[in-house]
Amino acid sequence: MDNFQTVLRFFMNQKATLGYSFMALLTIGGERVFSMVSFQCPCNHSQNFAYGLTFLMSPALVLLLLGLFFSTRLWRLFTGCCLNPMKLCPRGNSLGCMRAITSIFTGACVAPVMWLCVALLNGTFYECAVSGLDENIVVDIFCKNKTAKCREELARVPCGRSNLPVEESLELLQMFRAQSQILGWVIIITATSVGLIGTCCTNCRSRVSYLQLTFWKRYMEKERDQFDTYATDYATKLADRNLKSFFENQEPEAFPFPNHKAWEQISSLYTFSDSEQCYSTLQRYVECRDKDYTSETRPVMGKIDVEA
């Protein structure tokens, strides 16, 4: 039993790494499925570039949008900002707001960057896209020291249906694949370098020590997990209380519940302060001495008029 708990604790501590590894496997599998099942280069000068670029960039854009859509930090930051713009960027905290938005966008870019790296290292989409380029300078580079038919048959090379000699076709394919793989490695090196530099800059400017920062991250993880547990439990109790009152036709029992102002305060953007020992807006609200425990009596969503 102790060994099982040790293994379970290890996986819980490494869930971020395991999540990225699982995401990488899904990206590799998705790219292979696209390449082998749905992707068929048209081998036409007027269509190759658009078709290849679509398969190369569209999944990356979809993954980016999905990453933003499923980001709880994004919705926590943007929910209600149209009615109260100061919630998105309070006075005196513009830098913290930009830092939070940058962090959200960076996290959402992980999957798209993985897709681009895997797709470029494979080279299938890139081969189709660049073979359809009509720029004279680019075509001249590709067809340098080749036969006169190279310019006309370049778009057919990825399909293996060109009238060029076999040696020239293989040489062009190898050139396309080498360029694609070089570009993929450039993206990998750039992404890892930017990530390392960003982490170094963030830690260098941190107002807390490494161990306290580690504790802060652990606390935030536990708070999120416990909040989900408490929210589910209290939602179940509140639903049972309301249904019991409705079906038994009696007054509902008293039920303690945070007011609207309290929800707004714990949902705001958190910034660390040296003058207080708090690690989240929830802890800051709980330890605040002048907080209001008055329960909310009016409907939270406001009055809604319904016409028959």
Side-chain angles (χ1 to χ4, degrees), residues 192-255:
T192 52
S193 299
V194 170
L196 177 60
I197 294 173
T199 303
C200 291
C201 293
T202 301
N203 290 349
C204 182
R205 297 177 57 86
S206 176
R207 291 186 287 180
V208 299
S209 64
Y210 174 77
L211 293 179
Q212 188 177 7
L213 185 61
T214 303
F215 173 81
W216 188 358
K217 293 178 180 178
R218 294 291 184 270
Y219 169 79
M220 292 302 298
E221 292 176 359
K222 295 300 181 181
E223 183 183 275
R224 284 192 293 267
D225 295 340
Q226 290 297 320
F227 182 86
D228 291 339
T229 302
Y230 270 77
T232 301
D233 182 48
Y234 269 73
T236 302
K237 291 180 180 179
L238 181 60
D240 290 340
R241 172 251 201 186
N242 293 339
L243 289 171
K244 181 179 179 181
S245 173
F246 174 77
F247 281 104
E248 295 181 3
N249 196 23
Q250 62 182 12
E251 290 295 324
E253 302 174 356
F255 193 88

Side-chain angles (χ1 to χ4, degrees), residues 121-184:
L121 290 177
N122 185 31
T124 304
F125 306 143
Y126 181 87
E127 293 172 2
C128 181
V130 298
S131 64
L133 291 175
D134 291 328
E135 294 292 334
N136 292 328
I137 298 177
V138 178
V139 176
D140 290 341
I141 294 175
F142 290 157
C143 294
K144 185 178 180 180
N145 299 327
K146 301 292 190 303
T147 59
K149 293 183 179 180
C150 177
R151 181 181 292 271
E152 300 176 0
E153 298 293 327
L154 188 62
R156 297 176 177 269
V157 170
C159 302
R161 301 201 304 263
S162 67
N163 295 323
L164 297 174
V166 178
E167 294 79 7
E168 286 193 10
S169 296
L170 292 178
E171 185 177 349
L172 287 171
L173 281 177
Q174 291 175 354
M175 181 190 303
F176 295 155
R177 186 154 301 180
Q179 292 175 352
S180 179
Q181 291 174 347
I182 291 173
L183 186 57

